Amino acid sequence: QISVDSNFFEELGADSMVMTRFCARLRKQTDLPRIPIKQVYEHPTISSLATALTASAPPPTERLLAQILADVMSVEKVSADSNFFEDLGADSMMMARFCARLRKQTDRPPVPIKTVYAHPTISSLASALNGANGAAATSTSDPSLTGAQTSIPAEESAPIGTPRYLLCGALQILSVTVYLYIVIFYLAQGYEFISTATRFIDIYWRSVLVGLGLFLGMSLLPILLKWLIIGRWRPQQIRIWSLHYFRFWFAKTLMRLNPLALFAGSPLYALYLRAMGAKIGQNAVILSGHAPVCTDLFTVGDNTVIRKDSIFSCYRAHDGLIQTGSVTIGKDAIVGEKTVLDIETVMGDGAQLGHSSSLNSGNSIPDDERRVGSPARARTEVDYRGNAPANCGPLIKIAFSAIQFISLLFLSSILFSATVTLAPLIAERLFPISPDSSVFLQRAFYVNALIISSVFFFGLMLIGLVLVATVPRLVNLAMKPDAVAPLYGLCYFC
């Protein structure tokens, strides 16, 4: 039992996901009104929420607009706070018919389609038509809007100005230059360290040490800088080209350059996201390499699977602003391939989102419900889980991660060692040692340099082509058609 005077959050211990499920369950009750999550936060008890819902009937203008829109969309009723495009799924043609029907059934002046886009809910449009908000109604969006029409103060979305624009670009160039200098300086020092060895085995082990240091540096530096320059991400709006935007861009760029981003589908990838602040549950599998930028706003429950090529960045660009927001996925959920999860979206426990679908901002999928489409409104009976759960213990995860990391490190070290060994031999043949700098004035120097670079470029391209044509065919021998392969096993590694 729940007391009607108990606070949802402070006394009952509910959170945003629980109350989103509450609102979604309430929408299924046809005799009750639609409740936005914002109203739940404003009235956090059963009694206050019921009083707010029954306190007053909608104004005449709202009732008229809702009746006309419901007739145009061929539905029974529409909520006064539902976004025409994000929540109701209307398009420009449908809203043009709404404006035309409004002109025929009332004596009001024509409503331009631009006004509908500026006020995409019944309540905000009615306020604008009644002139309740005066000049402010034409310059700002209604604060109750969700999705693409989130409230944005006019001064926030104003142009940042040319000086700030140039300053941001200069800082971007400077940061990339410094980062590349650090990497190249390390590689030059590593080359000096490796080239002093005489035997190939010594060259190889020194290459392993240099490669390990480079991997650890490029992996840990973005994590350290994220916590230094950003701290924890929170829902906010960032003006494009501002100094705050530069920090956002720098953190995003470092995440993309992090070699750990190559380990999507591996337990190492989940550890990496946790280190960046994401809340990743036990046994969650993330096969998509599109890492979330605002990691602290990303939550994934236990045993959830996110398929490849899915996008859940936890930010979006709108009207000169970067808007950051949360993406919450419950436990035992399935996110299909090539899906998009916008900010402020929630998937409940056991929910499934079909392939090539999108969940728009402010929308959610209730527990154990399956949705498909763009936007994902249609329910489906397809089970995207495919296979029954299989046991995958911690030892298998540790062994897989270790083999994956060691194979990458040692194979790349072989390539680097071969380069260090062959490069001086080729240079001695084509570039005789000169006591002065006159060699740079000789035509043969540049011809030989062109030959060497061409040999390395096209030679490596040829080797890569041979590997691409042969290695997949070899590892495919370990695959059996129509057979279920457990995660992190031999077939999965192949």
Side-chain angles (χ1 to χ4, degrees):
Q1 293 182 350
I2 292 179
S3 171
V4 295
D5 296 319
S6 297
N7 189 288
F8 300 145
F9 310 100
E10 297 177 0
E11 299 177 85
L12 300 179
D15 53 24
S16 58
M17 181 179 291
V18 171
M19 299 317 297
T20 300
R21 289 162 53 195
F22 165 73
C23 294
R25 191 78 59 86
L26 198 62
R27 282 199 296 269
K28 296 181 180 179
Q29 307 293 326
T30 57
D31 57 336
L32 293 176
R34 177 190 178 98
I35 297 181
I37 191 68
K38 178 183 177 182
Q39 204 161 11
V40 173
Y41 282 105
E42 293 175 351
H43 307 281
T45 66
I46 293 292
S47 58
S48 62
L49 185 60
T51 301
L53 294 176
T54 59
S56 62
T61 304
E62 286 192 14
R63 289 201 303 270
L64 176 64
L65 295 177
Q67 179 182 357
I68 294 175
L69 182 59
D71 186 42
V72 170
M73 301 187 66
S74 301
V75 296
E76 184 177 349
K77 63 180 181 178
V78 294
S79 171
D81 295 319
S82 296
N83 188 287
F84 300 147
F85 311 100
E86 298 289 337
D87 299 323
L88 302 178
D91 53 26
S92 57
M93 184 176 293
M94 189 174 293
M95 298 316 296
R97 289 166 51 199
F98 166 73
C99 293
R101 190 77 61 89
L102 190 62
R103 284 197 299 270
K104 291 181 180 180
Q105 297 187 9
T106 66
D107 55 355
R108 291 178 175 275
V111 177
I113 192 69
K114 181 179 179 181
T115 303
V116 174
Y117 280 106
H119 308 279
T121 66
I122 292 293
S123 58
S124 62
L125 184 59
S127 299
L129 295 180
N130 290 332
N133 294 331
T138 60
S139 61
T140 61
S141 298
D142 190 271
S144 63
L145 301 184
T146 59
Q149 301 294 332
T150 303
S151 174
I152 301 172
E155 67 273 12
E156 289 292 332
S157 57
I160 195 73
T162 302
R164 289 281 188 91
Y165 178 83
L166 296 176
L167 176 62
C168 181
L171 289 174
Q172 288 175 322
I173 293 175
L174 178 63
S175 61
V176 171
T177 303
V178 171
Y179 183 83
L180 289 177
Y181 176 81
I182 294 173
V183 173
I184 293 173
F185 178 80
Y186 177 85
L187 289 175
Q189 296 299 315
Y191 182 86
E192 291 290 334
F193 172 68
I194 296 170
S195 60
T196 56
T198 55
R199 297 185 303 168
F200 181 80
I201 187 66
D202 295 332
I203 293 176
Y204 176 73
W205 283 112
R206 292 191 181 193
S207 299
V208 171
L209 291 176
V210 172
L212 180 62
L214 181 65
F215 179 86
L216 292 177
M218 294 185 66
S219 299
L220 299 179
L221 182 61
I223 299 175
L224 177 63
L225 290 177
K226 181 264 179 184
W227 290 107
L228 287 177
I229 67 176
I230 298 294
R232 285 200 175 275
W233 290 103
R234 65 183 190 277
Q236 59 187 314
Q237 297 184 144
I238 304 170
R239 296 180 69 183
I240 296 282
W241 316 131
S242 65
L243 293 178
H244 195 177
Y245 171 79
F246 167 73
R247 293 162 54 202
F248 162 83
W249 172 88
F250 188 59
K252 180 182 72 171
T253 304
L254 288 177
M255 283 199 68
R256 292 181 176 177
L257 294 175
N258 196 321
L260 288 174
L262 300 174
F263 287 82
S266 166
L268 288 174
Y269 192 59
L271 291 176
Y272 163 56
L273 294 181
R274 288 191 187 106
M276 295 291 285
K279 306 171 191 65
I280 310 296
Q282 296 296 320
N283 299 321
V285 180
I286 303 177
L287 301 173
S288 174
H290 297 284
V293 176
C294 305
T295 44
D296 302 280
L297 303 175
F298 185 55
T299 303
V300 179
D302 298 342
N303 305 312
T304 287
V305 176
I306 300 178
R307 302 279 177 83
K308 64 177 185 177
D309 299 328
S310 298
I311 299 176
F312 35 87
S313 303
C314 296
Y315 82 91
R316 66 176 177 184
H318 173 73
D319 193 24
L321 295 169
I322 296 294
Q323 300 173 340
T324 64
S326 62
V327 173
T328 304
I329 306 173
K331 61 183 179 181
D332 299 309
I334 298 289
V335 179
E337 295 182 8
K338 298 183 178 180
T339 58
V340 177
L341 297 174
D342 204 351
I343 63 173
E344 304 301 339
T345 53
V346 177
M347 290 181 62
D349 296 342
Q352 297 187 24
L353 181 61
H355 305 309
S356 301
S357 301
S358 68
L359 196 60
N360 292 356
S361 180
N363 293 339
S364 63
I365 301 179
D367 293 351
D368 300 316
E369 194 165 297
R370 304 168 190 170
R371 296 281 185 90
V372 68
S374 183
R377 302 186 184 279
R379 294 180 175 87
T380 179
E381 297 301 322
V382 177
D383 187 0
Y384 294 96
R385 202 172 306 277
N387 302 312
N391 186 26
C392 183
L395 292 179
I396 297 177
K397 296 179 182 178
I398 294 173
F400 175 83
S401 302
I403 294 173
Q404 190 181 32
F405 172 72
I406 291 173
S407 61
L408 178 65
L409 176 64
F410 279 70
L411 288 176
S412 60
S413 298
I414 290 175
L415 180 62
F416 197 72
S417 301
T419 304
V420 172
T421 305
L422 294 176
L425 299 177
I426 297 175
E428 287 178 8
R429 292 293 187 101
L430 297 180
F431 299 114
I433 299 176
S434 176
D436 52 38
S437 60
S438 61
V439 65
F440 296 106
L441 303 177
Q442 300 175 11
R443 179 183 176 185
F445 172 83
Y446 298 99
V447 173
N448 292 338
L450 180 62
I451 293 174
I452 289 180
S453 60
S454 299
V455 168
F456 271 95
F457 180 80
F458 293 105
L460 290 175
M461 185 181 292
L462 180 61
I463 293 173
L465 185 61
V466 171
L467 292 176
V468 167
T470 56
V471 173
R473 287 174 169 79
L474 292 176
V475 296
N476 276 335
L477 298 177
M479 314 283 184
K480 294 181 180 179
D482 301 322
V484 177
L487 277 176
Y488 314 129
L490 177 61
C491 288
Y492 181 80
F493 178 80
C494 289

